[in-house]
Amino acid sequence: MSADAPRRRTRRRRILLFAAGAAAASLSLSACGDGASGGSAQTRFVQGKDGVDTVKKADRQPAPDLSGETTTGKQLDVADYKGKVVILNVWGSWCGPCIAEAPNFAKVAKETEGKGVQFLGINTRDSQKSQATSFEEEHKVPYPSLFDPTGRLMLRFPKGSLNPQSIPSTIAIDRHGKIAARSIGPLTEDELRSMVKPLIAEK
């Protein structure tokens, strides 16, 4: 083995860590803000007056692989809920707007659980699971969340899709596993219902 091999491995590790940090930093720039909802000419989404952007059924893109460990240490795969409407909320325990909208999500999740709707979360930028679980207990969050401290799951959303661009963001996935709607920023109960209701009615 070359004497330089350990140095090369160390250099590669540093490069990988830098890349991961840069990805997380790009997300943190819009954290707890109303990041731009733009995109390429291929986005084909309609910006709603209520802050919810929607995509026509024919133009929807499949949701990416969103799987991993939850804040409580269990395994979760969003794809397992195909056949249901999935409302996916991106949040952090440190985020003021996330705290403000948490009761709205808890209430609407309970209202719609018998209507083929599954609420899920992606917890991001909390370094410890205990930070996330304390938030969930305090705000009585009735659904599980994937633990994603570095924001890697957000980077899996396809370019030009309705991808999460700030914290909080909310993504609606239709019964066929396709991205149907998105909201950037916190949602009221009525705004959340306006996102869910049309998808419940779809067949």
Side-chain angles (χ1 to χ4, degrees):
M1 180 185 293
S2 167
D4 290 334
R7 281 198 290 269
R8 284 198 296 270
R9 285 198 296 270
T10 300
R11 193 178 303 117
R12 280 197 297 270
R13 282 197 295 269
R14 285 175 180 167
I15 291 169
L16 289 171
L17 287 170
F18 176 80
S26 68
L27 181 66
S28 70
L29 291 175
S30 58
C32 277
D34 292 334
S37 60
S40 69
Q42 284 73 46
T43 52
R44 296 182 181 179
F45 63 80
V46 177
Q47 293 183 320
K49 292 180 182 178
D50 56 2
V52 176
D53 301 326
T54 58
V55 185
K56 290 181 180 179
K57 203 169 182 179
D59 295 330
R60 294 173 188 169
Q61 297 188 49
D65 170 33
L66 299 170
S67 60
E69 200 168 82
T70 68
T71 56
T72 58
K74 297 178 180 179
Q75 290 298 310
L76 187 151
D77 188 339
V78 173
D80 288 343
Y81 295 96
K82 196 170 183 178
K84 290 189 174 186
V85 174
V86 174
I87 303 299
L88 188 64
N89 180 239
V90 181
W91 62 278
S93 69
W94 44 268
C95 169
C98 302
I99 294 168
E101 72 175 2
N104 306 330
F105 276 76
K107 185 173 182 178
V108 178
K110 289 178 180 177
E111 285 178 3
T112 57
E113 63 184 348
K115 300 178 180 179
V117 179
Q118 175 65 55
F119 276 66
L120 299 171
I122 296 179
N123 168 259
T124 190
R125 293 186 59 213
D126 278 319
S127 59
Q128 302 294 326
K129 288 180 181 176
S130 59
Q131 296 167 309
T133 54
S134 293
F135 179 100
E136 291 169 328
E137 289 169 9
E138 181 179 353
H139 299 288
K140 298 179 173 59
V141 178
Y143 49 84
S145 288
L146 289 162
F147 183 62
D148 185 30
T150 63
R152 63 183 178 81
L153 293 179
M154 269 71 81
L155 299 177
R156 294 182 180 178
F157 280 80
K159 185 177 180 180
S161 71
L162 289 179
N163 55 327
Q165 295 181 1
S166 71
I167 304 166
S169 287
T170 303
I171 304 292
I173 300 172
D174 67 18
R175 298 179 194 276
H176 303 285
K178 295 186 176 181
I179 304 167
R182 174 195 64 188
S183 177
I184 293 175
L187 288 171
T188 66
E189 286 180 36
D190 287 343
E191 288 169 340
L192 188 50
R193 290 187 189 101
S194 77
M195 174 183 271
V196 178
K197 190 175 179 180
L199 296 175
I200 293 174
E202 285 185 359
K203 300 300 181 186

